Amino acid sequence: MTVRVPVYDTGMLIALADRKAKAVALHAGVRNTPHRAVVLGPVLAQVWRPTPATVHALAGVLKECTVPQARSASPAMRPTSAGQTMCMVCATGPDLIEWQRVGSALGTADLPPKKRPDAVDALVALTAARHGSAVVFTSDPADLDAYLRALNAQDVHVVQV
């Protein structure tokens, strides 16, 4: 059985902040995976508001997630009996070619009608593709599927919250 890397998009964080039952259950299910759930900085920025309810709800969630390349974030990999491993994908940001792939995906993705290209969604798709065996938790599965197809991502699953 392959353990997939969980990647959260903005919709998942909103659902967690609102304490939606499905999102909370899905988050509880990934608490013990070797790789913490990935929350990209731009995803967090789209959701974070300085209201007590949001801060309280997301602060607890973020302790169990990793925000790649954020100095104060939890490490991507959970400690093991053999020591602390690291995720090279989380430790290194996209290179120039990968940023160009995001731009290409924005221009070529076959998005649902009335949807506009979204750079954060495309970056979430790229992050999942870079991890390989990943699962994206999203409220917009059609959007993420379109970006994943445009990126020719392999072995990435999408779960609607």
Short mmCIF file of all heavy atoms in Angstrom, two decimals, residues 9-11 17 51 58 67 70 90 92 94 99 103 113 128:
data_model
loop_
_atom_site.label_atom_id
_atom_site.label_comp_id
_atom_site.label_asym_id
_atom_site.label_seq_id
_atom_site.Cartn_x
_atom_site.Cartn_y
_atom_site.Cartn_z
N ASP A 9 -5.52 22.37 -0.31
CA ASP A 9 -5.71 23.63 -1.02
C ASP A 9 -6.53 24.57 -0.14
O ASP A 9 -6.86 24.24 1.01
CB ASP A 9 -6.35 23.41 -2.40
CG ASP A 9 -7.86 23.33 -2.39
OD1 ASP A 9 -8.45 23.01 -1.35
OD2 ASP A 9 -8.46 23.60 -3.43
N THR A 10 -6.84 25.72 -0.66
CA THR A 10 -7.54 26.74 0.11
C THR A 10 -8.89 26.24 0.62
O THR A 10 -9.25 26.49 1.77
CB THR A 10 -7.73 28.00 -0.76
OG1 THR A 10 -6.44 28.43 -1.22
CG2 THR A 10 -8.39 29.12 0.01
N GLY A 11 -9.61 25.51 -0.22
CA GLY A 11 -10.92 25.00 0.18
C GLY A 11 -10.85 24.07 1.38
O GLY A 11 -11.73 24.09 2.25
N ALA A 17 -11.25 25.38 8.99
CA ALA A 17 -11.52 26.55 9.83
C ALA A 17 -12.99 26.61 10.23
O ALA A 17 -13.33 27.03 11.34
CB ALA A 17 -11.12 27.83 9.11
N THR A 51 -9.08 36.94 12.82
CA THR A 51 -10.26 36.81 13.68
C THR A 51 -10.00 35.68 14.68
O THR A 51 -9.34 34.69 14.33
CB THR A 51 -11.53 36.49 12.87
OG1 THR A 51 -11.35 35.24 12.20
CG2 THR A 51 -11.81 37.58 11.83
N LEU A 58 -7.27 27.38 12.88
CA LEU A 58 -6.14 27.04 12.01
C LEU A 58 -4.84 26.84 12.77
O LEU A 58 -3.97 26.09 12.30
CB LEU A 58 -5.98 28.11 10.93
CG LEU A 58 -7.10 28.12 9.90
CD1 LEU A 58 -6.83 29.20 8.85
CD2 LEU A 58 -7.27 26.76 9.24
N VAL A 67 4.41 23.81 6.30
CA VAL A 67 4.38 24.88 5.32
C VAL A 67 5.79 24.93 4.74
O VAL A 67 6.70 25.40 5.41
CB VAL A 67 3.97 26.24 5.94
CG1 VAL A 67 3.95 27.33 4.88
CG2 VAL A 67 2.61 26.12 6.63
N ALA A 70 8.94 27.48 5.32
CA ALA A 70 8.64 28.46 6.37
C ALA A 70 9.47 28.08 7.60
O ALA A 70 9.41 26.95 8.07
CB ALA A 70 7.15 28.45 6.70
N CYS A 90 9.84 19.37 -0.24
CA CYS A 90 9.44 20.46 0.66
C CYS A 90 10.61 21.37 1.01
O CYS A 90 10.43 22.56 1.27
CB CYS A 90 8.80 19.90 1.93
SG CYS A 90 7.15 19.21 1.66
N THR A 92 13.07 22.20 -0.96
CA THR A 92 13.49 23.01 -2.10
C THR A 92 12.26 23.54 -2.81
O THR A 92 11.30 22.81 -3.03
CB THR A 92 14.32 22.18 -3.10
OG1 THR A 92 13.53 21.08 -3.56
CG2 THR A 92 15.59 21.66 -2.45
N PRO A 94 10.18 25.35 -6.09
CA PRO A 94 10.18 25.09 -7.54
C PRO A 94 11.33 25.83 -8.20
O PRO A 94 11.71 26.92 -7.79
CB PRO A 94 8.83 25.66 -8.00
CG PRO A 94 7.99 25.74 -6.78
CD PRO A 94 8.93 25.96 -5.64
N TRP A 99 8.30 26.86 -12.40
CA TRP A 99 7.46 28.07 -12.40
C TRP A 99 6.89 28.30 -13.80
O TRP A 99 5.74 28.72 -13.96
CB TRP A 99 8.25 29.29 -11.92
CG TRP A 99 8.41 29.33 -10.43
CD1 TRP A 99 9.58 29.24 -9.73
CD2 TRP A 99 7.38 29.48 -9.45
NE1 TRP A 99 9.33 29.32 -8.39
CE2 TRP A 99 8.00 29.47 -8.18
CE3 TRP A 99 6.00 29.62 -9.52
CZ2 TRP A 99 7.28 29.59 -7.00
CZ3 TRP A 99 5.29 29.75 -8.34
CH2 TRP A 99 5.92 29.73 -7.10
N GLY A 103 2.92 28.53 -15.15
CA GLY A 103 2.39 29.51 -16.10
C GLY A 103 1.76 28.85 -17.31
O GLY A 103 0.69 29.26 -17.77
N PRO A 113 -16.40 25.75 -17.09
CA PRO A 113 -16.93 27.04 -17.56
C PRO A 113 -17.02 28.06 -16.43
O PRO A 113 -17.30 27.72 -15.29
CB PRO A 113 -18.33 26.68 -18.08
CG PRO A 113 -18.28 25.22 -18.37
CD PRO A 113 -17.28 24.64 -17.40
N ALA A 128 1.79 18.83 -5.67
CA ALA A 128 1.37 17.42 -5.62
C ALA A 128 2.12 16.61 -6.68
O ALA A 128 2.59 15.50 -6.40
CB ALA A 128 -0.14 17.33 -5.84
#
